[in-house]
């Protein structure tokens, strides 16, 4: 965790430079407000400034914003502190600012009282256009104590071209010599430019974000040696684009604590409740016009803005704003997916001549534009209010580049905005000397050994199909696993039938009627888990091997008190559930002598019984009371309709 304290010397900053610095600080706060993905947005930014009191003519230090030790970052208060920095403190005649008041900042009353975590790292950044010629002993001791406490101090010098600052360069040299013995101090010189400040903001936000502390380490391996026996280079990877949010979400907050009222907290009966106390909230105690910035920042607005609700759209309008040379386009600023662009036949366009079809004209104009841009090696930058990846309207502009091709479709790619472009790492810090001729020649010789081709995406297969085919092949070698059949929680239907006329309706399924006594017995049997293996096999047979009957058949009711199976003393006693299932699978006596025969119904209708498919389940030898049946084969199920008991 890094805590940054900014110290601005208002005495040496011209008005224009001060405005740019203030704008940079506001951008830093905005980036930090939407950067947190953790549970809290820690308050890690401090702001101080040095000015000269015109009444007492003494230099004073003011603390504009101090971070709370355990609180969250307050975007509103920080904006208020930056916007209210004095603008009349610039002293054009100043050459040596004298005391920078760093000794007061590097103290237990200011910097060391900010942040209570033991692993916190503190950094002080001083922004000025001039520095004192010498460092006094008091400041020297404060800087040395800061080094012992792992506090780094960065002095940022903005160069000026004014004639009265002729001695500034000499003063800077002396100041740099005074702090050269301190490892925790550094001096950097910058031009007072907006682009320079923009790059500094990206560097500062990386210091504040905890997830940017360590870059991703990687190695590039070559088949041949580059230099000597070295065939690899080690590198650090940095992201080139950091996406920002597409808008701000409206929300509701409680007026008592200013906390977000989540959707799950609202009760349809009792209304809203405070997320802190849990007490119910009246309508007057709910702020309906709040806005959520990022994940942890809330802003309270005087009125609700309905324009913040972003709708999903079906088509996009791209507004061409400029034409650029493709050679100046940085590939690091391209983000997201790429899209092929071809002329569409859906949108109507105004025809320039009545002799040419509108769609044909649209295709010709498209091809002419593509050819012209390709010959010029140029592209078109477009803006839109839609994010093409989410197909939703956004609150900020989205930029796209339309790139031509040679007699083919154009390519549309999204460009990162200035807020999304990351800072380019400083390569000069890694390379200490120039490349020698021996290294350059060795690398060129190694590259010549690598085969040179024109890029073809068909030659760079990722191996998806090969991997999946191999997995399926291994799965087939393992063998198939029978699917598990879940019992549908359906209740049997009870229909009232006349005792003299019992007919099975011509349907594609059978309705089994059970008495209330049997239903209660089955409910009690389900609690018994013994013999579940045999029971599940027969249940699958009953549920899945039911033959389809296409004609009504008269079936007589069997006697429920007759025992179907009589286990011998050598076999283990079957449980009640299995006996009940086997009872319903009794072979009909009228089907023992004739397997397939037409059956005459009461209405004179004819039907042919469909033979059932034998299940692929190992048969079990069971002694039955009916000696005429074969025990080596499974009995076919006979779903007989049971009469209801007359009470």
């Amino acid at each position: 965790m890094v805590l940054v304290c900014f110290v601005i010397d208002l005495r040496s900053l011209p008005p224009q430079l001060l405005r740019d610095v203030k704008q940079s600080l506001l951008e830093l706060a905005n980036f930090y407000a939407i950067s947190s993905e953790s549970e809290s947005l820690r308050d890690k930014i401090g702001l101080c400034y040095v000015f000269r009191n015109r009444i007492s003519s003494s230099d004073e230090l003011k603390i504009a914003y101090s971070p709370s030790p355990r609180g969250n970052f307050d975007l509103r208060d920080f904006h208020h502190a930056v916007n209210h920095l004095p603008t009349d403190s610039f002293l054009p005649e100043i050459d040596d600012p004298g005391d920078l008041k760093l000794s007061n900042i590097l103290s237990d009353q200011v910097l060391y009282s900010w942040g209570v975590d033991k692993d916190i790292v503190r950094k002080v950044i001083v922004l000025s256009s001039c520095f004192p010629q010498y460092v006094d002993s008091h400041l020297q001791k404060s800087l040395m104590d800061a080094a012992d406490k792992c506090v780094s101090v960065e002095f940022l010098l903005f160069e000026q071209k004014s004639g009265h600052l002729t001695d500034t360069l000499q003063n800077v040299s002396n100041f740099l010599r005074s702090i050269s013995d301190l490892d925790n101090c550094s001096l950097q010189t910058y031009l007072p430019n907006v682009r320079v400040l923009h790059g500094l903001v990206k560097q500062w936000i990386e210091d504040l974000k905890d997830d940017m502390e360590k870059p991703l380490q990687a190695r590039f391996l070559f088949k041949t040696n580059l230099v000597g026996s070295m065939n690899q280079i080690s590198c650090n990877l940095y992201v080139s684009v950091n996406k920002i949010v597409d808008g701000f979400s409206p929300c509701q907050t409680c007026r008592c604590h200013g906390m977000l009222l989540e959707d799950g907290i609202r009760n349809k009966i009792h209304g809203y409740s405070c997320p802190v106390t849990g007490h119910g909230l009246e309508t007057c105690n709910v702020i309906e016009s709040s806005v959520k910035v990022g994940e942890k920042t809330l802003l309270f607005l005087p009125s609700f803005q309905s324009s913040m609700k972003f709708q999903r759209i079906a088509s996009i309008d791209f507004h061409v704003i400029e034409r650029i040379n493709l050679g100046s386009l940085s590939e690091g600023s391209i983000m997201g997916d790429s899209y092929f662009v071809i002329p569409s036949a859906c949108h109507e366009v105004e025809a320039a001549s009545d002799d040419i079809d509108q769609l044909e004209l649209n295709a010709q104009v498209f091809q002419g534009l593509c050819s012209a841009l390709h010959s010029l090696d140029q592209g078109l930058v477009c803006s839109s209010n839609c994010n093409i990846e989410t197909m939703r309207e956004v609150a900020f502009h989205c930029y796209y580049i339309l790139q031509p091709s040679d007699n083919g479709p154009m390519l549309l790619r999204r460009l990162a905005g200035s807020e999304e472009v990351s800072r380019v790492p400083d390569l000069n810090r890694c390379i200490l000397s120039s490349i020698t001729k021996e290294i350059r020649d060795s690398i060129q010789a190694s590259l010549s050994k690598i085969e040179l081709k024109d890029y073809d995406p068909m030659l760079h297969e990722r191996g998806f199909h090969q991997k999946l085919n191999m997995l399926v092949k291994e799965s087939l070698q393992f063998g198939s696993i029978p699917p598990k059949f879940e019992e549908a929680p359906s209740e049997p239907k009870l229909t009232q039938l006349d005792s003299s006329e019992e007919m099975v309706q011509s349907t594609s399924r059978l309705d089994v009627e059970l008495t209330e006594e049997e239903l209660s017995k089955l409910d009690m049997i389900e609690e018994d888990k013994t013999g579940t293996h045999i029971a599940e096999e027969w249940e699958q047979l009953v549920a899945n091997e039911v033959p389809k009957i296409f004609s009504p058949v008269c079936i007589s009711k069997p006697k429920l008190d007759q025992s179907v199976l009589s286990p011998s003393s050598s076999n283990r006693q079957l449980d009640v559930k299995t006996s009940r299932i086997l009872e319903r699978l009794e072979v009909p006596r009228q089907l023992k002598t004739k397997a397939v025969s037409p059956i005459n119904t009461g209405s004179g209708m004819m039907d042919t019984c469909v033979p059932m498919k034998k299940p692929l389940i190992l048969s079990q030898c069971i002694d039955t009371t009916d000696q005429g049946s074969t025990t080596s084969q499974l009995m076919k199920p006979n779903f007989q309709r049971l009469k209801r008991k007359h009470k």
Side-chain angles (χ1 to χ4, degrees), residues 16 117 316 441:
Q16 181 60 41
D117 295 342
I316 309 176
D441 294 341

Side-chain angles (χ1 to χ4, degrees), residues 243 246 312 316 335-339 386-392 400 414:
K243 294 183 180 180
D246 287 334
R312 187 175 181 86
I316 309 176
M335 56 189 295
D337 299 329
S338 300
Y339 297 85
C386 175
N387 186 342
I388 195 173
E389 295 182 1
T390 60
M391 289 300 296
R392 290 186 179 275
Y400 301 89
R414 184 178 173 184

Side-chain angles (χ1 to χ4, degrees), residues 437-506:
K437 185 177 183 301
E438 291 77 11
I439 294 179
R440 184 180 289 105
D441 294 341
S442 178
I443 293 176
Q444 290 179 356
S446 177
L447 292 178
S448 63
K449 298 178 182 179
I450 301 177
E451 186 179 2
L452 179 62
K453 296 181 180 180
D454 292 335
Y455 176 73
D456 185 0
M458 298 301 296
L459 301 178
H460 300 83
E461 187 176 356
R462 297 186 61 185
F464 164 74
H465 297 290
Q466 291 85 344
K467 183 63 176 179
L468 184 56
N469 293 343
M470 183 182 64
L471 294 178
V472 175
K473 184 177 180 180
E474 293 179 358
S475 178
L476 292 175
Q477 293 176 356
F478 178 76
S480 60
I481 300 177
K484 295 182 179 180
F485 300 97
E486 298 181 358
E487 296 182 357
S490 58
E491 297 180 357
K493 295 182 179 180
L494 301 178
T495 57
Q496 294 181 354
L497 298 177
D498 189 16
S499 60
S500 62
E501 297 180 356
E502 297 180 2
M503 303 294 296
V504 180
Q505 301 296 330
S506 175

Side-chain angles (χ1 to χ4, degrees), residues 88 161 192 224 303 341 420 431 435 466 534 570 585 637 643:
D88 57 349
K161 298 181 180 180
T224 59
S303 61
V341 182
E420 297 172 313
I431 301 177
I435 305 175
Q466 291 85 344
I534 301 177
S570 60
L585 297 178
K643 292 184 180 181

Side-chain angles (χ1 to χ4, degrees), residues 256-273:
C256 51
H257 297 88
M259 299 296 293
L260 177 66
L261 299 179
E262 299 287 352
D263 294 338
I265 299 179
R266 183 172 185 178
N267 190 297
K268 296 182 180 180
I269 301 177
H270 303 288
Y272 288 105
S273 61

